[in-house]
Protein backbone atom coordinates (compact mmCIF):
# COMPACT_ATOMS: atom_id res chain seq x y z
CA UNK A 1 0.00 0.00 0.00
CA UNK A 2 0.94 3.63 -0.46
CA UNK A 3 0.76 5.05 3.05
CA UNK A 4 1.12 8.65 4.23
CA UNK A 5 2.15 9.29 7.83
CA UNK A 6 1.54 12.78 9.29
CA UNK A 7 3.85 13.59 12.21
CA UNK A 8 3.78 16.49 14.68
CA UNK A 9 6.25 19.25 13.90
CA UNK A 10 7.34 20.03 17.46
CA UNK A 11 10.05 17.36 17.25
CA UNK A 12 11.85 15.72 14.37
CA UNK A 13 11.28 12.02 13.63
CA UNK A 14 12.84 10.38 15.53
CA UNK A 15 13.35 13.08 18.16
CA UNK A 16 16.89 14.01 19.11
CA UNK A 17 16.00 14.03 22.81
CA UNK A 18 12.51 14.02 24.36
CA UNK A 19 9.50 13.07 22.27
CA UNK A 20 7.43 9.93 22.70
CA UNK A 21 4.97 10.36 19.84
CA UNK A 22 7.65 11.11 17.26
CA UNK A 23 9.67 8.13 18.44
CA UNK A 24 6.71 5.78 18.03
CA UNK A 25 6.08 7.17 14.53
CA UNK A 26 9.70 6.48 13.57
CA UNK A 27 9.44 2.86 14.68
CA UNK A 28 6.10 2.37 12.98
CA UNK A 29 7.32 3.82 9.68
CA UNK A 30 10.41 1.61 9.65
CA UNK A 31 8.36 -1.51 10.35
CA UNK A 32 5.89 -0.64 7.59
CA UNK A 33 8.78 -0.22 5.16
CA UNK A 34 10.07 -3.64 6.22
CA UNK A 35 6.64 -5.05 5.47
CA UNK A 36 7.04 -3.81 1.88
CA UNK A 37 4.80 -0.75 1.91
CA UNK A 38 5.51 2.51 0.09
CA UNK A 39 5.52 4.98 2.99
CA UNK A 40 5.83 8.77 2.87
CA UNK A 41 6.49 10.64 6.11
CA UNK A 42 5.24 14.23 6.35
CA UNK A 43 7.46 15.76 9.04
CA UNK A 44 10.12 18.36 9.74
CA UNK A 45 13.06 18.53 7.36
CA UNK A 46 15.58 17.44 10.01
CA UNK A 47 13.83 14.08 10.35
CA UNK A 48 15.58 10.84 9.40
CA UNK A 49 13.58 7.94 8.01
CA UNK A 50 13.80 4.87 5.81
CA UNK A 51 10.57 6.02 4.19
CA UNK A 52 10.23 8.89 1.71
CA UNK A 53 10.44 12.18 3.57
CA UNK A 54 8.18 15.07 2.62
CA UNK A 55 9.70 17.98 4.55
CA UNK A 56 6.83 20.22 5.62
CA UNK A 57 8.95 22.63 7.70
CA UNK A 58 12.74 23.01 7.71
CA UNK A 59 13.39 22.18 11.38
CA UNK A 60 11.50 20.80 14.35
CA UNK A 61 9.90 23.64 16.26
CA UNK A 62 11.05 22.92 19.81
CA UNK A 63 14.76 22.80 19.11
CA UNK A 64 14.63 25.20 16.16
CA UNK A 65 14.53 28.99 16.07
CA UNK A 66 12.43 30.64 18.74
CA UNK A 67 9.59 32.86 17.66
CA UNK A 68 8.31 30.58 14.90
CA UNK A 69 4.52 30.54 14.79
CA UNK A 70 3.49 26.88 15.13
CA UNK A 71 0.23 27.65 13.35
CA UNK A 72 2.20 28.60 10.24
CA UNK A 73 3.97 25.24 10.28
CA UNK A 74 0.67 23.43 10.84
CA UNK A 75 -0.90 25.25 7.89
CA UNK A 76 1.94 24.01 5.70
CA UNK A 77 1.32 20.45 6.90
CA UNK A 78 -2.37 20.63 6.03
CA UNK A 79 -1.68 22.13 2.61
CA UNK A 80 0.94 19.49 1.84
CA UNK A 81 -1.39 16.57 2.50
CA UNK A 82 -4.28 18.33 0.74
CA UNK A 83 -2.20 18.61 -2.42
CA UNK A 84 -0.88 15.04 -2.30
CA UNK A 85 -3.78 13.09 -0.80
CA UNK A 86 -4.57 11.27 -4.05
CA UNK A 87 -1.02 9.88 -4.13
CA UNK A 88 -1.92 7.50 -1.30
CA UNK A 89 -4.15 4.54 -0.56
CA UNK A 90 -4.47 5.52 3.09
CA UNK A 91 -3.45 8.47 5.28
CA UNK A 92 -2.46 7.99 8.91
CA UNK A 93 -2.50 11.16 11.01
CA UNK A 94 -0.74 11.57 14.36
CA UNK A 95 -1.55 15.28 14.71
CA UNK A 96 -4.86 15.12 16.53
CA UNK A 97 -7.82 17.11 15.22
CA UNK A 98 -6.24 19.73 13.01
CA UNK A 99 -6.31 17.93 9.61
CA UNK A 100 -9.82 16.48 10.00
CA UNK A 101 -11.62 19.12 7.88
CA UNK A 102 -9.28 18.37 4.97
CA UNK A 103 -8.92 14.61 5.46
CA UNK A 104 -12.69 14.13 5.61
CA UNK A 105 -13.03 15.75 2.17
CA UNK A 106 -10.22 14.09 0.19
CA UNK A 107 -12.08 10.86 -0.53
CA UNK A 108 -8.96 8.95 0.60
CA UNK A 109 -9.28 6.51 3.52
CA UNK A 110 -7.68 7.85 6.68
CA UNK A 111 -7.39 7.25 10.39
CA UNK A 112 -6.09 9.25 13.32
CA UNK A 113 -4.14 7.88 16.27
CA UNK A 114 -4.78 9.93 19.38
CA UNK A 115 -1.59 10.20 21.44
CA UNK A 116 -2.68 12.60 24.18
CA UNK A 117 -5.24 13.06 26.91
CA UNK A 118 -8.85 13.41 25.80
CA UNK A 119 -10.50 14.85 28.92
CA UNK A 120 -10.27 18.42 27.65
CA UNK A 121 -13.13 20.82 27.05
CA UNK A 122 -14.35 21.12 23.48
CA UNK A 123 -13.20 17.72 22.24
CA UNK A 124 -16.68 16.24 22.38
CA UNK A 125 -17.80 19.01 20.02
CA UNK A 126 -15.14 17.94 17.53
CA UNK A 127 -16.27 14.33 17.81
CA UNK A 128 -19.83 15.40 17.09
CA UNK A 129 -18.73 17.35 14.02
CA UNK A 130 -16.59 14.53 12.60
CA UNK A 131 -18.70 11.60 13.74
CA UNK A 132 -17.54 9.30 10.94
CA UNK A 133 -13.82 9.99 11.29
CA UNK A 134 -12.04 6.78 12.37
CA UNK A 135 -9.81 6.92 15.45
CA UNK A 136 -7.30 4.57 17.05
CA UNK A 137 -6.63 4.72 20.78
CA UNK A 138 -3.35 3.68 22.40
CA UNK A 139 -5.11 2.30 25.49
CA UNK A 140 -8.66 1.45 26.44
CA UNK A 141 -8.52 3.96 29.29
CA UNK A 142 -7.70 6.77 26.87
CA UNK A 143 -11.15 6.38 25.28
CA UNK A 144 -13.16 6.97 28.45
CA UNK A 145 -13.76 10.74 28.04
CA UNK A 146 -14.96 10.28 24.44
CA UNK A 147 -16.91 7.01 24.28
CA UNK A 148 -18.95 8.17 21.28
CA UNK A 149 -15.96 8.63 18.97
CA UNK A 150 -15.65 6.21 16.06
CA UNK A 151 -13.00 4.04 17.70
CA UNK A 152 -11.94 1.33 15.27
CA UNK A 153 -9.10 -0.20 17.30
CA UNK A 154 -6.88 0.08 20.34
CA UNK A 155 -3.25 -0.42 19.35
CA UNK A 156 -0.69 -0.15 22.15
CA UNK A 157 2.72 1.27 21.34
CA UNK A 158 5.63 -0.99 20.55
CA UNK A 159 9.35 -0.55 20.11
CA UNK A 160 12.01 -2.51 18.19
CA UNK A 161 13.17 -5.75 19.77
CA UNK A 162 16.84 -4.82 19.66
CA UNK A 163 16.56 -1.14 20.57
CA UNK A 164 17.53 -1.88 24.19
CA UNK A 165 19.65 -4.68 25.61
CA UNK A 166 18.25 -6.22 28.79
CA UNK A 167 20.25 -6.28 32.00
CA UNK A 168 19.52 -8.99 34.52
CA UNK A 169 21.57 -7.54 37.37
CA UNK A 170 19.78 -5.78 40.21
CA UNK A 171 20.17 -2.03 39.84
CA UNK A 172 21.61 0.33 42.43
CA UNK A 173 19.30 3.37 42.16
CA UNK A 174 15.78 4.44 41.32
CA UNK A 175 15.03 6.13 37.98
CA UNK A 176 12.60 8.81 36.89
CA UNK A 177 12.23 9.48 33.16
CA UNK A 178 9.90 12.03 31.58
CA UNK A 179 8.78 15.65 31.69
CA UNK A 180 9.33 17.63 34.87
CA UNK A 181 5.71 18.59 35.40
CA UNK A 182 3.61 18.08 38.52
CA UNK A 183 1.32 15.55 36.83
CA UNK A 184 4.28 13.25 36.10
CA UNK A 185 5.07 12.99 39.81
CA UNK A 186 8.73 14.00 40.21
CA UNK A 187 8.09 15.33 43.73
CA UNK A 188 6.61 11.99 44.77
CA UNK A 189 9.57 10.18 43.19
CA UNK A 190 11.97 12.24 45.30
CA UNK A 191 10.03 11.52 48.48
CA UNK A 192 9.87 7.80 47.73
CA UNK A 193 13.61 7.62 47.08
CA UNK A 194 14.41 9.48 50.29
CA UNK A 195 12.08 7.23 52.29
CA UNK A 196 13.84 4.06 51.13
CA UNK A 197 17.27 5.73 51.27
CA UNK A 198 18.13 4.97 47.67
CA UNK A 199 19.66 7.33 45.09
CA UNK A 200 17.29 8.79 42.52
CA UNK A 201 18.44 9.73 39.05
CA UNK A 202 16.14 12.00 37.08
CA UNK A 203 16.41 12.02 33.27
CA UNK A 204 13.96 14.63 32.11
CA UNK A 205 13.44 17.83 30.22
CA UNK A 206 12.20 21.02 31.82
CA UNK A 207 9.37 22.35 29.62
CA UNK A 208 9.57 26.06 28.93
CA UNK A 209 6.33 26.64 30.78
CA UNK A 210 7.45 24.69 33.85
CA UNK A 211 10.58 26.64 34.78
CA UNK A 212 8.95 28.26 37.81
CA UNK A 213 7.68 24.87 39.03
CA UNK A 214 11.15 23.39 38.68
CA UNK A 215 12.84 26.28 40.50
CA UNK A 216 10.37 26.25 43.38
CA UNK A 217 9.54 22.59 43.89
CA UNK A 218 12.36 20.47 42.48
CA UNK A 219 15.64 22.35 42.31
CA UNK A 220 15.92 22.70 46.14
CA UNK A 221 15.66 18.90 46.43
CA UNK A 222 18.31 18.07 43.83
CA UNK A 223 21.60 17.75 45.73
CA UNK A 224 23.70 16.16 42.99
CA UNK A 225 24.36 13.16 45.22
CA UNK A 226 21.31 11.26 46.43
CA UNK A 227 19.02 13.13 44.05
CA UNK A 228 20.68 13.72 40.67
CA UNK A 229 19.34 15.53 37.61
CA UNK A 230 20.79 13.86 34.54
CA UNK A 231 18.89 16.02 32.04
CA UNK A 232 17.40 14.88 28.75
CA UNK A 233 18.77 11.61 27.39
CA UNK A 234 18.86 10.24 23.87
CA UNK A 235 18.45 6.57 22.91
CA UNK A 236 22.12 5.76 23.54
CA UNK A 237 22.14 7.36 27.00
CA UNK A 238 18.77 5.88 27.91
CA UNK A 239 20.10 2.31 27.76
CA UNK A 240 22.53 2.49 30.72
CA UNK A 241 20.22 4.87 32.56
CA UNK A 242 17.37 2.34 32.59
CA UNK A 243 19.22 -0.94 32.81
CA UNK A 244 21.25 0.26 35.80
CA UNK A 245 18.12 1.08 37.79
CA UNK A 246 16.54 -1.13 40.42
CA UNK A 247 13.18 0.20 39.25
CA UNK A 248 11.59 2.97 37.25
CA UNK A 249 9.30 5.17 39.33
CA UNK A 250 6.14 6.26 37.51
CA UNK A 251 4.09 8.11 40.16
CA UNK A 252 1.74 9.89 37.76
CA UNK A 253 -1.18 12.08 38.76
CA UNK A 254 -3.05 12.26 35.46
CA UNK A 255 -4.82 9.90 33.01
CA UNK A 256 -1.66 8.86 31.15
CA UNK A 257 -2.81 7.57 27.72
CA UNK A 258 0.02 5.03 27.50
CA UNK A 259 3.36 5.80 29.15
CA UNK A 260 6.08 4.82 26.69
CA UNK A 261 8.78 4.95 29.37
CA UNK A 262 7.17 1.93 31.05
CA UNK A 263 7.83 -0.37 28.10
CA UNK A 264 11.27 1.16 27.53
CA UNK A 265 12.13 0.13 31.09
CA UNK A 266 10.64 -3.32 30.55
CA UNK A 267 12.77 -3.74 27.42
CA UNK A 268 15.81 -3.28 29.66
CA UNK A 269 14.48 -5.82 32.14
CA UNK A 270 13.80 -3.05 34.66
CA UNK A 271 10.63 -3.33 36.76
CA UNK A 272 8.23 -0.39 36.99
CA UNK A 273 6.55 0.95 40.13
CA UNK A 274 3.57 2.95 38.92
CA UNK A 275 0.54 4.66 40.39
CA UNK A 276 -2.81 3.18 39.44
CA UNK A 277 -3.88 5.82 36.92
CA UNK A 278 -4.69 6.04 33.24
CA UNK A 279 -3.30 3.18 31.18
CA UNK A 280 -1.00 1.81 33.89
CA UNK A 281 -3.05 -1.36 34.60
CA UNK A 282 -3.05 -2.13 30.86
CA UNK A 283 0.74 -1.93 30.59
CA UNK A 284 2.12 -3.18 33.90
CA UNK A 285 1.34 -6.67 35.17
CA UNK A 286 1.33 -6.40 38.92
CA UNK A 287 3.94 -8.58 40.64
CA UNK A 288 5.34 -9.61 37.24
CA UNK A 289 6.71 -6.59 35.36
CA UNK A 290 6.45 -4.29 38.35
CA UNK A 291 3.97 -3.11 40.96
CA UNK A 292 0.81 -1.04 40.61
CA UNK A 293 0.38 1.03 43.76
CA UNK A 294 -2.04 3.48 45.30
CA UNK A 295 0.10 6.27 46.69
CA UNK A 296 3.50 6.81 48.25
CA UNK A 297 3.16 4.42 51.15
CA UNK A 298 2.54 1.46 48.86
CA UNK A 299 5.27 2.66 46.49
CA UNK A 300 7.78 2.65 49.35
CA UNK A 301 6.86 -0.94 50.20
CA UNK A 302 7.06 -1.89 46.52
CA UNK A 303 10.63 -0.63 46.27
CA UNK A 304 11.56 -3.01 49.08
CA UNK A 305 9.95 -5.91 47.18
CA UNK A 306 11.24 -5.16 43.70
CA UNK A 307 14.40 -7.24 44.11
CA UNK A 308 12.35 -10.44 44.06
CA UNK A 309 10.96 -9.77 40.56
CA UNK A 310 12.57 -11.76 37.75
CA UNK A 311 14.12 -9.27 35.33
CA UNK A 312 14.25 -11.97 32.65
CA UNK A 313 10.48 -12.33 32.90
CA UNK A 314 10.11 -8.53 32.66
CA UNK A 315 12.02 -8.59 29.36
CA UNK A 316 10.10 -11.65 28.14
CA UNK A 317 6.75 -9.98 28.73
CA UNK A 318 7.96 -6.93 26.84
CA UNK A 319 8.81 -9.12 23.83
CA UNK A 320 5.44 -10.87 24.03
CA UNK A 321 3.36 -7.70 24.26
CA UNK A 322 5.12 -4.54 23.14
CA UNK A 323 7.21 -5.04 19.99
CA UNK A 324 7.03 -2.53 17.14
CA UNK A 325 6.46 -5.39 14.69
CA UNK A 326 3.19 -6.26 16.46
CA UNK A 327 2.16 -2.60 16.42
CA UNK A 328 2.85 -2.32 12.67
CA UNK A 329 0.91 -5.45 11.70
CA UNK A 330 -2.08 -4.25 13.73
CA UNK A 331 -2.03 -0.91 11.91
CA UNK A 332 -1.55 -2.70 8.58
CA UNK A 333 -4.75 -4.64 9.25
CA UNK A 334 -6.66 -1.42 9.91
CA UNK A 335 -5.28 0.19 6.75
CA UNK A 336 -6.44 -2.76 4.65
CA UNK A 337 -9.91 -2.70 6.17
CA UNK A 338 -10.25 1.02 5.43
CA UNK A 339 -9.03 0.60 1.86
CA UNK A 340 -11.40 -2.31 1.21
CA UNK A 341 -14.30 -0.21 2.49
CA UNK A 342 -13.24 2.63 0.23
CA UNK A 343 -13.02 5.03 3.16
CA UNK A 344 -16.50 4.23 4.47
CA UNK A 345 -16.50 3.77 8.22
CA UNK A 346 -18.13 0.61 9.65
Amino acid sequence: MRIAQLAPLAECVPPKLYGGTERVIAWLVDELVDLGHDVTLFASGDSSTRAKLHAVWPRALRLGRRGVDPNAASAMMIEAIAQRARDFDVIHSHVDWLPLPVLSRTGVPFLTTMHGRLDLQGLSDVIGTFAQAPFVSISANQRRPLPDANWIATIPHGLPRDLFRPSYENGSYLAFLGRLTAEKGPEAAIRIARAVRMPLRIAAKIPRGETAYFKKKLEPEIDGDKIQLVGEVDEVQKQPFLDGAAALLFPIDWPEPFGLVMIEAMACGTPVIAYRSGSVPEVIEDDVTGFIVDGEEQAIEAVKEVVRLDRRKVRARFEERFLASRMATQYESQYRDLVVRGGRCP
Side-chain angles (χ1 to χ4, degrees), residues 92-109:
H92 186 172
S93 171
H94 302 269
V95 290
D96 296 335
W97 319 100
L98 209 54
L100 289 179
V102 169
L103 294 179
S104 63
R105 288 168 168 80
T106 63
V108 178

Side-chain angles (χ1 to χ4, degrees), residues 3-286:
I3 304 168
Q5 297 280 339
L6 309 187
L9 299 174
E11 308 284 347
C12 59
V13 179
K16 291 181 171 59
L17 294 170
Y18 182 85
T21 298
E22 295 82 7
R23 190 164 278 115
V24 170
I25 295 168
W27 298 329
L28 173 61
V29 166
D30 284 350
E31 292 289 342
L32 291 172
V33 170
D34 284 344
L35 288 170
H37 298 293
D38 180 0
V39 185
T40 300
L41 174 64
F42 290 74
S44 63
D46 50 349
S47 297
S48 177
T49 179
R50 291 169 52 200
K52 299 170 183 175
L53 177 63
H54 183 121
V56 174
W57 198 256
R59 291 198 63 197
L61 299 177
R62 186 172 75 90
L63 299 179
R65 291 188 308 164
R66 292 196 179 190
V68 172
D69 183 354
N71 291 325
S74 297
M76 295 297 287
M77 168 74 79
I78 294 171
E79 178 62 14
I81 193 60
Q83 288 186 3
R84 295 198 56 195
R86 291 291 180 176
D87 294 341
F88 305 105
D89 299 310
V90 64
I91 300 168
H92 186 172
S93 171
H94 302 269
V95 290
D96 296 335
W97 319 100
L98 209 54
L100 289 179
V102 169
L103 294 179
S104 63
R105 288 168 168 80
T106 63
V108 178
F110 73 93
L111 72 161
T112 299
T113 296
M114 303 306 299
H115 290 269
R117 67 189 301 169
L118 302 180
D119 58 340
L120 304 176
Q121 290 187 7
L123 298 191
S124 60
D125 295 326
V126 179
I127 287 298
T129 301
F130 299 96
Q132 299 304 310
F135 295 100
V136 170
S137 56
I138 55 179
S139 67
N141 183 270
Q142 184 192 30
R143 298 183 178 196
R144 294 182 65 182
L146 297 175
D148 295 330
N150 180 25
W151 299 110
I152 61 172
T154 293
I155 301 180
H157 290 332
L159 55 89
R161 182 190 301 270
D162 298 326
L163 183 67
F164 295 113
R165 300 182 309 276
S167 172
Y168 302 129
E169 300 295 325
N170 291 326
S172 59
Y173 55 87
L174 299 172
F176 178 92
L177 177 62
R179 287 181 288 113
L180 290 181
T181 61
E183 65 187 12
K184 291 288 190 177
E187 295 172 77
I190 291 171
R191 291 192 295 266
I192 293 164
R194 290 199 187 281
V196 297
R197 298 184 177 182
M198 287 185 69
L200 175 68
R201 296 185 184 177
I202 302 170
K205 78 169 184 176
I206 305 171
R208 290 174 182 171
E210 300 291 340
T211 303
Y213 167 73
F214 173 77
K215 291 286 186 183
K216 181 178 180 180
K217 298 291 187 179
L218 302 178
E219 192 171 48
E221 302 294 331
I222 298 171
D223 57 19
D225 179 24
K226 292 298 184 181
I227 310 296
Q228 297 182 20
L229 177 61
V230 178
E232 287 190 69
V233 292
D234 59 21
E235 296 288 8
V236 175
Q237 298 164 321
K238 197 179 292 182
Q239 167 80 57
F241 175 79
L242 286 173
D243 70 28
L248 173 76
L249 297 182
F250 198 67
I252 57 171
D253 186 26
W254 74 298
E256 174 75 66
F258 185 79
L260 185 63
V261 297
M262 291 190 285
I263 66 171
E264 290 177 328
M266 289 167 56
C268 294
T270 302
V272 180
I273 298 172
Y275 282 14
R276 191 187 310 274
S277 187
S279 64
V280 165
E282 299 176 53
V283 179
I284 300 302
E285 296 169 88
D286 193 49

